[in-house]
Amino acid sequence: AQSVTQPDIHITVSEGASLELRCNYSYGATPYLFWYVQSPGQGLQLLLKYFSGDTLVQGIKGFEAEFKRSQSSFNLRKPSVHWSDAAEYFCAVGPSGGSYIPTFGRGTSLIVHP
Amino acid sequence: DVKVTQSSRYLVKRTGEKVFLECVQDMDHENMFWYRQDPGLGLRLIYFSYDVKMKEKGDIPEGYSVSREKKERFSLILESASTNQTSMYLCASRPGSGNTIYFGEGSWLTVV
């Protein structure tokens, strides 16, 4: 069975500092991997996704993520955080093809200090 | 852009009431989903549908039912609302040949 672990429930950073949010997955084959962001009171917006190819994936809002098969990780990064990045971030994993159902992590809440 | 619309953003219902949460997507997606989101628990799948009139139970279907009479519309039904169903409900859709899920803005339901 597939699973996703986001080890950090909360992360606090200062505005302008770099950010890394961790995501570890468990899946037998090559997974499809996603990062979503949820602003307060809103639905989830796709930040980026990895299906195959280059393991460093660029997304919207200046985010990137790196797929590391050896570590079963798909960590999200941003070099300089803005106050508007404060939100909940969800990692998700899904098998390729078919009528798959993705599995979501429990989320990491990002707090940005001025 | 894909648009998933949840018509009711905020609802307050009484215990025992029948509640309908409506979701419409405008991109002809085959697959539609209903999730429940609670603090510390992330997203939990209630039901999904991969075609009109087809439905499958997710992880937490108890106390819920769904209806999909048209491809673009997926309704979540609480037959008899209870206070433990107070939550944020998220609808989502995905094309049959694609892998990205698109979410609506969510419906906040309070059962008193």
Side-chain angles (χ1 to χ4, degrees):
Chain A
Q2 62 200 39
S3 66
V4 178
T5 301
Q6 292 181 248
D8 304 304
I9 298 174
H10 303 283
I11 290 277
T12 301
V13 299
S14 297
E15 192 169 15
S18 63
L19 171 71
E20 183 169 34
L21 302 182
R22 296 184 290 165
C23 172
N24 293 100
Y25 68 89
S26 174
Y27 183 64
T30 300
Y32 283 10
L33 293 159
F34 307 83
W35 274 101
Y36 285 85
V37 61
Q38 184 182 35
S39 298
Q42 301 297 316
L44 276 69
Q45 180 184 19
L46 180 68
L47 277 177
L48 48 77
K49 58 189 176 185
Y50 172 79
F51 293 162
S52 64
D54 192 346
T55 56
L56 185 62
V57 181
Q58 301 298 319
I60 62 171
K61 305 186 182 193
F63 285 91
E64 66 178 26
E66 186 171 12
F67 170 58
K68 292 186 177 180
R69 183 189 303 276
S70 61
Q71 298 176 19
S72 296
S73 69
F74 189 56
N75 293 348
L76 182 71
R77 301 194 293 249
K78 187 169 185 178
S80 178
V81 170
H82 188 263
W83 63 267
S84 61
D85 292 325
E88 191 88 14
Y89 291 81
F90 292 92
C91 181
V93 62
S96 56
S99 59
Y100 82 96
I101 305 299
T103 298
F104 285 83
R106 293 194 173 190
T108 298
S109 179
L110 174 64
I111 300 164
V112 180
H113 282 171
Chain B
D1 281 353
V2 175
K3 186 72 173 177
V4 179
T5 303
Q6 295 181 234
S7 53
S8 301
R9 291 298 315 277
Y10 303 95
L11 305 93
V12 179
K13 298 291 182 181
R14 295 192 181 279
T15 301
E17 275 193 81
K18 190 169 186 176
V19 181
F20 292 87
L21 298 180
E22 303 289 341
C23 175
V24 176
Q25 49 94 3
D26 66 356
M27 286 301 291
D28 203 37
H29 287 174
E30 285 78 5
N31 303 284
M32 295 189 74
F33 309 83
W34 274 105
Y35 288 90
R36 172 175 172 162
Q37 183 180 10
D38 299 288
L41 298 179
L43 276 69
R44 294 181 291 169
L45 183 65
I46 305 172
Y47 268 96
F48 69 97
S49 169
Y50 53 89
D51 202 351
V52 175
K53 297 190 185 294
M54 306 302 288
K55 60 185 179 184
E56 294 285 344
K57 293 180 180 179
D59 300 319
I60 53 164
E62 295 78 19
Y64 303 95
S65 63
V66 291
S67 172
R68 193 164 181 203
E69 296 296 318
K70 294 184 177 181
K71 192 175 185 179
E72 67 272 18
R73 188 179 298 270
F74 192 36
S75 303
L76 180 69
I77 303 157
L78 288 67
E79 294 290 342
S80 178
S82 64
T83 55
N84 63 12
Q85 292 178 309
T86 292
S87 187
M88 163 84 135
Y89 291 88
L90 288 162
C91 177
S93 71
R94 178 178 74 85
S97 59
N99 294 289
T100 301
I101 289 185
Y102 299 88
F103 285 86
E105 293 198 333
S107 297
W108 287 95
L109 172 66
T110 301
V111 183
V112 297

